[in-house]
Amino acid sequence: MAGTVNQELGLLFQGPNYVIVKKGGKAGEKVEKHNHPEANIIFTVVKGKVQVFLNETEEHVLVPGQVLEFNGDNYIQATLVEDSEFVVNLIHKPE
C-alpha cells in the first residue's frame, strides 16, 4: 500500500525528521506552556477554536483551516475555546 490513513488522537506518524500528533479536548482545557527547540512547528486546527499564545504575549485565535507556523524555540501555550482538535507537525531542524 502506498499510503496510510490515520485519524485517531495521539501519534499519527513519525519519521526520521518529523513527528505528527493529533490532539483534542473539551472547551476550557489547556495546553501548558512548553517548547520544542529541536523542531519547527506547524499547528493546524481541524475542529473548534483554539487560543494560542507564543512566548506569553503573541496571541492567535485559530479556527478550522487556519495554520500557525513557528520556530519551536518559542514557547507555546493554548486554551481550547470550544471542543477542538488540532494537528501538530514537528519538523526536526537540521543538525
Side-chain angles (χ1 to χ4, degrees):
M1 184 180 286
T4 303
V5 175
N6 193 343
Q7 65 184 33
E8 302 302 318
L9 295 179
L11 179 65
L12 294 178
F13 303 104
Q14 186 169 6
N17 62 344
Y18 68 91
V19 174
I20 302 174
V21 179
K22 185 176 182 183
K23 301 259 187 188
K26 301 287 184 192
E29 292 182 6
K30 297 186 181 297
V31 175
E32 297 301 324
K33 179 181 165 187
H34 69 285
N35 72 342
H36 297 278
E38 76 287 355
N40 290 304
I41 312 298
I42 300 171
F43 184 104
T44 306
V45 173
V46 295
K47 176 184 171 188
K49 183 186 287 186
V50 182
Q51 178 188 39
V52 175
F53 281 96
L54 297 177
N55 300 319
E56 299 184 65
T57 57
E58 182 180 318
E59 179 185 17
H60 300 273
V61 178
L62 305 171
V63 296
Q66 291 187 312
V67 180
L68 174 65
E69 182 272 334
F70 60 97
N71 185 313
D73 290 334
N74 295 287
Y75 284 85
I76 182 173
Q77 63 192 74
T79 301
L80 281 60
V81 178
E82 300 173 353
D83 293 358
S84 300
E85 291 182 358
F86 53 93
V87 176
V88 182
N89 297 269
L90 295 91
I91 299 127
H92 297 298
K93 297 174 183 173
E95 294 189 25

